[in-house]
Amino acid sequence: MPETAEKLIFEQGEEGRANQYVEYSKPLETFLPKNLLREELPLPDNTELDVVRHFTRLSHRTFGIDLGFYPLGSCTMKYNPRVNDTMANLPGFRDLHPYTPDELSQGALQVMYELERSLASLFGMAAFSLNPSAGAHAELAALLIAKKYFKEQSAKTGAPARDKVIVPDTAHGTNPASAAMCGFKVISLPSDERGRVSVDEIKKVLGPDTAVCMMTNPNTLGLFEDHIHEIAKAVHDAGGLMYYDGANGNAIMGNVRPGDMGFDLMHLNTHKTFTIPHGGGGAGHGPIGVAAHLVEYLPTPIVRAEPKSNGEVVGAQAAPSDKLAYSLDFNRPNSIGPMRSFWTNFAHAVRALSYIYANGAEGLKKVSQLAVLNANYIRVQVKEFLTTPYDEICRHEFVASAQELKKETGVRALDIAKALLDRGYMAPTVYFPLIVPECLMIEPTETESKETLDTFIAALRDIVETAKKNPQEILDAPVKTVVGRVDETRAARQPDLRWQPASGTAQQ
């Protein structure tokens, strides 16, 4: 049975219960400047204990990776090792003000420099900027780089401006949005019967107006684009640039590099691949990498490392990092400029570097191999009771379809997702990619055990079998959660995002 409903904090308490630790008889102006006070602000009147209990109860009702399996396709929700948080919480990192001078921030700058160099090595790029805040933010940065690059090329050669961006239908949904925000015209490219980009088809849409082809490899079907070199050559021969969406980076670490595939620009969701908490829309981290001919356009600042003067060198036995002086370089005339305030989401940079160093080159390679193994382990068993439209070895994720189940019972992919909530699992991504009807996109990551995968497969099987016997039971799900089936359409079209007192209610 679902838990009892929790009243809103505004619906709890009574007048006079607050201010346990502040003498209530004194006016608020005693404690706060008058210009910060608002008479119309209806603050709840609760004791500190009531507030703590309220939010603790709510936290226990929030599903997260620390509570259960989170197979959200293309979002790579895996376990976040606590040692990474410990590193980010070291006082020298945690308490450092972003305006601290470079000479007093050497440890933090070293972290940023070593992370940038590590990512460049892992993914085959000439350089990265850590500045963007998240994946879509870095996509925007990449397209701004492309726009500036082609504007300069046009000024040099007199060629017309390039304004077309090719986006396959297996790309991430933010790709066309980012391109449109930059003023590009988006050309959607259908995938072939194998779920991949056809070399012949892409050649049909390439031309002197082609700016960028945006892809991820493996794509969102979990399939590796096995003609990627031919695709990259065709785009380059047309004068365009190749962009790699790194949301699927967990599938390739240490095994293959986008730079070697022919990509000129890429971003990484380090909050996905490198185990950084990002549930609930939390803070992301989206470094952007470029090939050598685009380095000058990277967002500022870039961390530079230069040899210290002889007087500063600790000694002949000093580590290489002790012989370097780090600084933030803002003097980059061709840069597209900063994408955000301050230099990066620094705490996430610490976490990502901690993860890289904890695993090492071979460890990161094994991470991707285990992610691929886990995805295929689920895929071959799920195809016994759900359609798997691309029945071949996948990479880190795969897609299944509930289309036949819907025809037989009326139970859709959405209903399966809701029923999984009742069985203690977060639902996988549904209805994406759009090219698969009644799609479920499942990504187990490398961190889940065989036992967890087995119980998840059993839960999916049980849902399908129940749907065939008693579909209404699945259509009514979830029934064991605090909130039952919600009206998603109304929630999207008529969002109510803040509490307001009922009409006529006196405000305290």
Side-chain angles (χ1 to χ4, degrees):
M1 293 297 292
E3 302 174 58
T4 56
E6 177 80 14
K7 291 184 178 180
L8 299 176
I9 191 69
F10 292 94
E11 299 169 337
Q12 302 181 38
E14 294 290 340
E15 184 176 359
R17 284 189 181 174
N19 305 314
Q20 278 191 0
Y21 304 110
V22 178
E23 190 175 341
Y24 190 66
S25 59
K26 292 183 179 180
L28 287 177
E29 289 86 343
T30 306
F31 311 102
L32 293 172
K34 192 170 183 178
N35 65 331
L36 296 181
L37 299 175
R38 289 189 289 164
E39 291 183 2
E40 75 280 8
L41 186 64
L43 292 173
D45 215 346
N46 302 288
T47 66
E48 180 176 321
L49 177 60
D50 287 342
V51 172
V52 169
R53 285 178 174 171
H54 169 70
F55 287 107
T56 300
R57 286 193 294 268
L58 290 182
S59 72
H60 289 172
R61 295 175 176 182
T62 300
F63 192 94
I65 195 67
D66 292 345
L67 291 176
F69 184 30
Y70 215 121
L72 201 61
S74 269
C75 278
T76 315
M77 299 289 284
K78 57 184 178 180
Y79 174 67
N80 306 297
R82 293 303 184 265
V83 66
N84 298 350
D85 294 337
T86 301
M87 294 299 102
N89 200 41
L90 290 172
F93 294 146
R94 182 193 64 214
D95 300 335
L96 186 68
H97 194 282
Y99 282 145
T100 303
D102 290 354
E103 59 269 23
L104 300 179
S105 309
Q106 290 296 290
L109 295 179
Q110 182 181 341
V111 165
M112 293 167 63
Y113 178 79
E114 293 187 7
L115 176 59
E116 186 272 334
R117 289 290 79 204
S118 297
L119 297 179
S121 175
L122 272 169
F123 295 94
M125 293 284 115
F128 271 82
S129 167
L130 306 183
N131 189 241
S133 297
H137 200 213
E139 288 176 20
L140 183 65
L143 289 161
L144 289 172
I145 287 174
K147 193 165 190 175
K148 187 167 187 178
Y149 170 76
F150 285 119
K151 183 178 181 180
E152 291 188 357
Q153 294 296 308
S154 180
K156 291 176 183 177
T157 64
R162 292 175 177 265
D163 62 353
K164 301 288 197 311
V165 170
I166 299 169
V167 182
D169 57 10
T170 53
H172 286 100
T174 53
N175 289 181
S178 297
M181 283 185 67
C182 286
F184 287 110
K185 297 175 183 177
V186 178
I187 306 299
S188 181
L189 186 68
S191 53
D192 61 19
E193 66 280 357
R194 298 173 62 240
R196 293 169 171 87
V197 172
S198 163
V199 179
D200 292 336
E201 290 302 312
I202 198 170
K203 285 181 177 179
K204 293 178 183 178
V205 298
L206 288 171
D209 56 358
T210 300
V212 182
C213 175
M214 304 182 76
M215 295 177 64
T216 189
N217 195 17
N219 61 33
T220 52
L221 298 171
L223 304 175
F224 193 84
E225 299 280 356
D226 44 14
H227 296 299
I228 190 62
H229 285 123
E230 297 170 71
I231 294 168
K233 184 179 185 304
V235 172
H236 289 151
D237 287 348
L241 297 173
M242 290 287 291
Y243 170 81
Y244 184 90
D245 184 317
N248 293 355
N250 204 53
I252 64 168
M253 279 192 301
N255 293 280
V256 64
R257 307 190 308 174
D260 299 334
M261 298 180 205
F263 286 93
D264 306 285
L265 302 128
M266 70 169 293
H267 86 264
L268 280 168
N269 302 72
T270 52
H271 53 284
K272 297 180 182 181
T273 304
F274 297 102
T275 65
I276 295 166
H278 67 288
H285 191 231
I288 174 176
V290 294
H293 60 293
L294 299 172
V295 171
E296 61 183 304
Y297 303 102
L298 280 171
T300 54
I302 300 294
V303 180
R304 296 180 64 88
E306 298 175 333
K308 292 181 179 178
S309 63
N310 289 336
E312 293 178 282
V313 174
V314 176
Q317 301 303 315
S321 60
D322 293 329
K323 299 180 182 181
L324 297 175
Y326 303 92
S327 61
L328 290 169
D329 181 10
F330 293 89
N331 185 24
R332 305 179 66 83
N334 275 357
S335 169
I336 62 169
M339 293 296 294
R340 52 163 289 161
S341 60
F342 302 125
W343 327 138
T344 182
N345 193 336
F346 177 66
H348 281 359
V350 176
R351 290 182 172 97
L353 188 64
S354 299
Y355 183 72
I356 289 171
Y357 283 169
N359 283 280
E362 286 304 311
L364 293 174
K365 183 177 182 179
K366 187 175 182 181
V367 162
S368 292
Q369 291 171 339
L370 289 175
V372 170
L373 178 64
N374 281 355
N376 281 282
Y377 181 76
I378 297 179
R379 179 186 62 82
V380 296
Q381 297 190 63
V382 164
K383 72 178 184 179
E384 295 177 3
F385 51 86
L386 284 173
T387 303
T388 52
Y390 302 96
D391 190 17
E392 60 176 284
I393 292 175
C394 65
R395 296 303 180 257
H396 65 307
E397 64 189 5
F398 72 97
V399 294
S401 173
Q403 178 78 341
E404 293 304 315
L405 185 69
K406 177 184 175 181
K407 291 177 181 178
E408 180 182 347
T409 68
V411 170
R412 304 164 295 161
L414 178 66
D415 303 316
I416 293 175
K418 298 296 185 184
L420 278 169
L421 302 180
D422 272 344
R423 288 157 175 80
Y425 298 98
M426 176 54 67
T429 302
V430 294
Y431 300 116
F432 183 79
L434 300 177
I435 60 175
V436 177
E438 296 299 327
C439 183
L440 297 114
M441 182 164 57
I442 299 171
E443 180 182 1
T445 82
E446 76 287 351
T447 53
E448 301 299 338
S449 67
K450 180 178 179 296
E451 289 77 13
T452 297
L453 302 184
D454 286 339
T455 55
F456 175 71
I457 294 164
L460 274 176
R461 189 189 300 272
D462 177 64
I463 291 168
V464 172
E465 291 175 354
T466 302
K468 293 179 178 180
K469 297 174 184 175
N470 182 17
Q472 194 59 47
E473 182 177 333
I474 305 302
L475 295 172
D476 289 340
V479 296
K480 299 178 182 178
T481 53
V482 177
V483 176
R485 183 72 70 106
V486 298
D487 185 339
E488 284 97 348
T489 302
R490 184 182 175 196
R493 295 179 179 176
Q494 301 175 18
D496 188 1
L497 304 179
R498 65 180 291 266
W499 176 86
Q500 298 183 56
S503 178
T505 302
Q507 297 183 5
Q508 299 177 357

